[in-house]
Amino acid sequence: MCMKILVVGTGAIGIVVASELAKSPEVKEVRVADINLERAERLRDWLKSKKVSAHRVDAGKSDDVVRVAEDVDVIVNTTLPIFNLTIMDAAFTAKANYVDLALYDYSSFLKQMELNDKWKEAGLTALLNAGSAPGITNVLAAHAADRLDHVDAIRIRIFDSVESREIVSTWSPEVMWDDMATEPVVYENGKFKSVPLFSGEETYNFPDPIGPQTVVGHVHEEPVTLPRFIGKGLRHVDLKLGTPDMPIVKFVVQLGLLGDESVDVKGAKVAPRDLFLKLIPPTLSFEEVENKIKAGTLIDAHECYVVEVEGEKASKKMTYISYVLFPSLREVQKKLSGATHESYVTGISAAIFTKMVCMGAIKARGVFLPECLKLEARETFIAKLAEKDIKIHERVEKA
């Protein structure tokens, strides 16, 4: 099937998504679009594919996205989640399917879900949260839950470590630091509730070579979405994050450097968050990743997701423990030079989901998330990940 795909956003994830799609024989055309036309053109030139064209688009204006989306089969939104509703509206107007990677906030998520009937009637698919976490984590949670008669709890643990001789941003600083300053939501005893920042500290034993690491509660999509779709008596969902930089993160947050309220600095009104984000380096471009690795500034990086699903089968307690150990930053360079460990896994996941939507491997119509996929679609997704050296491991613990 010949597919025409529009990728909105040419940041760290958009680069990987566009690269993977451009290499796919099933894909006829890839349009890469960004408010910064020069950046989109640079990506087009770097991909060196006749399939790829570059366009300027303002993701905050639905009509502008529609203009670039004529005749496309799917729009992949790799921009900031604040643009989800706008780009989703443009996709519907353009009669295109839609894929995004993360939620903006709970209110926006509900607005997206309210469009389900409208999209279903139009015979279109909108797949939300289709990256790695959320994305892979949701698929693993659903995969385990399907094999249980009753589900008690889902616990997700993430560890991310970047070794560098200078401060670098491998992810959008705005998204990353806003997440760090937002109280986590957990699902407990059948209810959603906010918990204090950095609470729930524990030592979690990640697979080798990572080993035991300190993790704390972290705001994320999975505790918000999984309880809506998993069912089976689910009573608890949480997500905790570990990183060697957590003491620095705590210091930044507790000092108020991410505050929105302006403070007086020698007669000038300054919001600490604005100053902080101005000083933090922007997300590394693919050229910068390549150059910093060659210079020995960016040394390596590692990440791991673990999804534990606890419940009962045939009246016996069981826990399915699934994990994905990312290819390291240096291993990723052999696959896609200029990508990071995180952008590679997230971008590849999004590209696989996108192709599955276009080629009919995902048959559902309407608005839904990866945890809603049928068994066959989940198995296809996991198999496609393995082809890209993103391998899922699983063990089962029986009480």
Side-chain angles (χ1 to χ4, degrees), residues 144-309:
D146 263 7
R147 287 172 282 172
L148 292 167
D149 300 326
H150 177 86
V151 180
D152 294 316
I154 299 174
R155 298 179 178 89
I156 300 171
R157 302 295 181 261
I158 296 176
F159 179 77
D160 185 19
S161 173
V162 177
E163 187 179 358
S164 176
R165 300 187 190 281
E166 63 182 38
I167 296 173
V168 294
S169 297
T170 58
W171 202 255
S172 164
E174 183 177 349
V175 172
M176 187 190 81
W177 284 101
D178 281 353
D179 283 354
M180 292 297 187
T182 302
E183 286 190 340
V185 171
V186 300
Y187 186 69
E188 192 171 277
N189 294 322
K191 296 181 179 179
F192 296 102
K193 72 172 190 178
S194 295
V195 296
L197 291 171
F198 312 113
S199 61
E201 182 175 309
E202 65 177 70
T203 299
Y204 189 82
N205 191 25
F206 287 90
D208 291 335
I210 295 174
Q213 299 291 338
T214 299
V215 295
V216 297
H218 183 65
V219 68
H220 231 255
E221 288 85 349
E222 294 90 336
V224 172
T225 68
L226 290 175
R228 293 175 60 96
F229 303 108
I230 294 297
K232 294 193 173 183
L234 179 62
R235 302 292 293 174
H236 179 91
V237 185
D238 69 8
L239 182 146
K240 295 182 181 181
L241 171 70
T243 171
D245 298 326
M246 193 60 75
I248 298 173
V249 173
K250 286 184 180 180
F251 176 79
V252 168
V253 173
Q254 292 170 353
L255 198 60
L257 293 177
L258 296 175
D260 285 323
E261 292 188 13
S262 297
V263 296
D264 189 289
V265 181
K266 296 182 177 180
K269 294 291 185 180
V270 180
R273 177 182 178 277
D274 293 343
L275 177 60
F276 182 81
L277 292 178
K278 181 71 175 177
L279 295 175
I280 287 289
T283 310
L284 292 172
S285 67
F286 49 92
E287 300 103 330
E288 289 172 328
V289 171
E290 290 175 330
N291 293 337
K292 288 183 183 296
I293 289 176
K294 289 176 183 176
T297 303
L298 187 54
I299 300 168
D300 211 346
H302 302 271
E303 189 159 358
C304 180
Y305 298 161
V306 183
V307 179
E308 294 187 359
V309 181

Side-chain angles (χ1 to χ4, degrees), residues 252-369:
V252 168
V253 173
Q254 292 170 353
L255 198 60
L257 293 177
L258 296 175
D260 285 323
E261 292 188 13
S262 297
V263 296
D264 189 289
V265 181
K266 296 182 177 180
K269 294 291 185 180
V270 180
R273 177 182 178 277
D274 293 343
L275 177 60
F276 182 81
L277 292 178
K278 181 71 175 177
L279 295 175
I280 287 289
T283 310
L284 292 172
S285 67
F286 49 92
E287 300 103 330
E288 289 172 328
V289 171
E290 290 175 330
N291 293 337
K292 288 183 183 296
I293 289 176
K294 289 176 183 176
T297 303
L298 187 54
I299 300 168
D300 211 346
H302 302 271
E303 189 159 358
C304 180
Y305 298 161
V306 183
V307 179
E308 294 187 359
V309 181
E310 177 186 320
E312 293 182 6
K313 186 174 181 65
S315 300
K316 293 182 180 180
K317 290 283 187 182
M318 296 181 68
T319 302
Y320 285 90
I321 303 171
S322 308
Y323 71 88
V324 52
L325 194 61
F326 286 25
S328 71
L329 176 66
R330 289 196 170 273
E331 290 170 339
V332 165
Q333 301 316 299
K334 301 170 187 176
K335 307 174 191 303
L336 183 58
S337 181
T340 67
H341 62 305
E342 202 163 23
S343 68
Y344 178 78
V345 174
T346 303
I348 291 293
S349 299
I352 292 171
F353 277 128
T354 300
K355 288 190 286 184
M356 288 177 66
V357 168
C358 283
M359 298 182 69
I362 293 177
K363 298 179 175 63
R365 297 294 177 259
V367 182
F368 60 97
L369 288 81

